[in-house]
Amino acid sequence: MLDRASIEKESQDTRKQLAALEKDVKQLRDWVSSNERALAGMNETLRRITEDGITKARADLNLREGDLQRLRGLIAQNEKVLARIGDIERKRKDIATLEQEQERLIVLLERHRTELRQFEQEYEEMTRPAAPTAMVPCELVLPNNQRIPLDPAKGTYMIGWYDATAGTAPDIDLHPVGGSAQGVSRQHAILRLAAGQWTLTDLGSTNGTFLNDARMAANSTVSLRDRTRIRLGNVLVFFRYITQTTRL
């Protein structure tokens, strides 16, 4: 494939040839026209000679006009080729620019993807359910210093006192510490583990349940904290975390 410089040189040379040929054609046409006008005043011999010359000149003129058309067509074709070369050069430049932009966009895209993955990971960490914390062992301390560990697997403890006549047996019997004589109801309250937290529910006891000297409403439920003083009737017990060494 010819390059731009070669085609431009070829077009320049062709234009020179075309200019010279157009000059020759013009001169030949002028000669034919002038001789055709002069035929009427010529004698027969000179007229025949002139007519032969005109005939040959017309034949030569036809050939030269054919060459003119060919050269003009060649120049027009070269102009189209040069225009197409310009299109190719511009398109290659556009592609090179777009490729550079594509590389920049790819780098930018990867950076944003990396940031997105980081944000998603942070979001997952923020919203991931917290691992269940280990249940702090708890116990109930009776007035005689008896310690009753509270088993999370059991989860529920009835507090009251054992009545042999009625046959009721609570999980935590306060009869040995004077429960029946000090206002503890047979079914006084319930210790229950709910959502990892021990709670105390008064069962509508006769003499009430007090947490740190504050009376609970009948049949209400309150969450217990470490070192909570619980008074059932007049029997005082303590709820505590075993891991802490609070002196009661």
Side-chain angles (χ1 to χ4, degrees), residues 80-226:
K80 291 181 179 179
V81 172
L82 287 173
R84 189 59 65 219
I85 288 176
D87 293 338
I88 292 173
E89 290 174 347
R90 286 191 297 274
K91 191 57 62 178
R92 285 175 175 171
K93 184 177 180 180
D94 291 343
I95 290 174
T97 301
L98 290 173
E99 286 177 343
Q100 292 177 354
E101 183 68 11
Q102 182 184 36
E103 292 178 0
R104 187 186 70 83
L105 289 175
I106 289 175
V107 172
L108 186 63
L109 180 61
E110 285 303 315
R111 191 186 75 186
H112 282 281
R113 282 176 174 167
T114 300
E115 291 177 352
L116 175 61
R117 287 193 294 269
Q118 180 180 352
F119 292 155
E120 290 175 340
Q121 182 177 359
E122 291 175 356
Y123 170 78
E124 291 177 359
E125 292 175 355
M126 290 177 182
T127 58
R128 183 181 299 122
T133 56
M135 184 67 193
V136 178
C138 299
E139 65 183 5
L140 203 65
V141 183
L142 304 187
N144 60 0
N145 207 34
Q146 178 184 357
R147 284 167 166 75
I148 301 176
L150 302 178
D151 184 4
K154 178 176 175 61
T156 301
Y157 290 85
M158 171 72 73
I159 303 175
W161 58 272
Y162 175 64
D163 185 355
T165 304
T168 58
D171 299 299
I172 299 176
D173 183 12
L174 297 182
H175 181 72
V177 293
S180 59
Q182 297 192 52
V184 178
S185 299
R186 291 180 179 82
Q187 295 183 349
H188 196 105
I190 288 181
L191 273 171
R192 181 178 289 113
L193 182 64
Q197 177 70 51
W198 285 100
T199 64
L200 183 68
T201 301
D202 178 81
L203 297 178
S205 59
T206 302
N207 296 302
T209 302
F210 298 80
L211 300 182
N212 296 327
D213 298 326
R215 181 163 185 162
M216 292 178 59
N219 301 304
S220 64
T221 300
V222 178
S223 297
L224 299 178
R225 297 182 179 181
D226 183 38

Side-chain angles (χ1 to χ4, degrees), residues 25 34 36 43-44 53 59 121 134 141 143 149 168 184 202 218 229:
V25 168
S34 63
E36 285 178 341
N43 60 40
E44 184 177 351
Q121 182 177 359
V141 183
T168 58
V184 178
D202 178 81
R229 299 190 309 275

